[in-house]
Amino acid sequence: MRYLILSDIHANQEALAAALEQASGAWDTTLCLGDTVGYGADPNACAEFVRTKIAHVVRGNHDKACAGLDDLEWFNAAARASALWTQQVMRPENMEWLRQLPKGPIVLGEFQILHGSPLDEDEYLLQAQDARQLIGYLDTPVSFFGHTHLQGGFMLHRSGVFRIPGVPRDASFVDFELEKDTFYLINPGSVGQPRDGDPRAAYAIYDDEQRVVRYMRTPYDIAAAQAKIRAAALPDILARRLGIGQ
Ligand code: ZN
């Protein structure tokens, strides 16, 4: 089975459309690791897509905040403004779906899907030491996570914990083969708000028969996504950061 893995779409319809076009025909089923909404200007279109087309979804911290399930006091000003705006524009059926999204991890056979960390959906796995602390706590050999918006992740091998690189700037994909007897924390990167300095939309396709993760990157119409953010009078930083991938 080939899994299309999307995370941190963040209401960016242009990025989502480009990813789906590039991945067309290359997957059998779909996973989403949370943060479908928040930051971007198309929460309804993105929620609609995930609600109707994605097989397995976990919630993210922005999904919780936009659904009114979390206190906004931990959010910075731009994130708070976008969560309040999203609450106003979300259609009832999308809001209801958002409220009922399950908390990760969800175990699906040989792998699990989650937003932040297997132990805490809101925790960021940024450094190898964050991943090292999970030794002994991983229920499956492979975990797919998001939240950091950094494509790649970590491998927990007998000889140590190593960072997995994402797609190089001059390529549109890179294959990463999984070995036996090793644990993997795989981050497909963020579709709608990459923060690894590469503004292209990020996602991944996992082939569980070949045991290969294909990390993907695609350019998209950043100017159109920025124009919608500005037209919605959302904080300008949310438009600017898309241009630099931060
Ligand atoms: Zn996010």
Side-chain angles (χ1 to χ4, degrees):
M1 189 82 96
R2 298 165 304 166
Y3 298 87
L4 174 67
I5 309 173
L6 306 175
S7 189
D8 299 279
I9 297 167
H10 282 294
N12 186 336
Q13 192 184 6
E14 285 71 26
L16 176 61
L20 293 172
E21 191 185 325
Q22 186 192 42
S24 174
W27 51 270
D28 306 302
T29 189
T30 47
L31 307 170
C32 177
L33 312 180
D35 279 3
T36 298
V37 300
Y39 291 138
D42 272 315
N44 280 302
C46 295
E48 194 98 6
F49 171 80
V50 175
R51 179 163 71 82
T52 58
K53 300 284 195 288
I54 299 275
H56 301 280
V57 192
V58 292
R59 71 185 186 185
N61 54 316
H62 286 261
D63 300 324
K64 271 192 293 180
C66 293
L69 297 174
D70 221 352
D71 213 316
L72 295 178
E73 72 177 298
W74 301 102
F75 271 27
N76 65 43
R80 194 181 312 129
S82 88
L84 293 171
W85 178 84
T86 303
Q87 288 174 1
Q88 286 168 14
V89 301
M90 282 284 272
R91 286 198 292 273
E93 67 272 26
N94 291 333
M95 192 53 123
E96 190 52 34
W97 168 80
L98 204 62
R99 272 197 207 101
Q100 291 177 3
L101 278 176
K103 178 183 174 178
I106 295 177
V107 175
L108 299 163
E110 291 280 289
F111 63 81
Q112 60 183 351
I113 61 172
L114 52 117
H115 187 63
S117 149
L119 304 180
D120 179 348
E121 60 183 342
D122 295 337
E123 191 187 326
Y124 290 89
L125 299 180
L126 288 162
Q127 308 293 338
Q129 66 195 47
D130 304 327
R132 193 174 294 118
Q133 286 167 2
L134 298 172
I135 293 173
Y137 293 99
L138 295 168
D139 295 331
T140 54
V142 182
S143 300
F144 296 108
F145 75 103
H147 196 36
T148 63
H149 301 206
L150 305 174
Q151 190 176 51
F154 305 95
M155 59 185 288
L156 286 65
H157 190 258
R158 240 178 276 110
S159 59
V161 176
F162 305 97
R163 186 183 286 278
I164 304 167
V167 180
R169 296 298 183 91
D170 59 354
S172 60
F173 73 91
V174 66
D175 283 343
F176 183 76
E177 210 169 312
L178 307 188
E179 300 163 23
K180 292 242 154 53
D181 306 319
T182 302
F183 284 87
Y184 294 92
L185 291 154
I186 301 289
N187 191 328
S190 169
V191 173
Q193 195 198 75
R195 292 180 195 159
D196 45 18
D198 183 343
R200 296 178 297 169
Y203 63 101
I205 296 170
Y206 174 54
D207 184 326
D208 67 346
E209 280 149 39
Q210 307 290 324
R211 288 189 50 89
V212 170
V213 175
R214 175 163 287 189
Y215 292 102
M216 306 285 298
R217 255 7 233 242
T218 180
Y220 71 95
D221 192 346
I222 293 175
Q226 290 173 319
K228 286 181 181 174
I229 287 170
R230 291 181 172 130
L234 286 162
D236 200 63
I237 178 72
L238 299 179
R240 287 201 307 273
R241 65 188 306 176
L242 296 182
I244 52 170
Q246 287 295 345

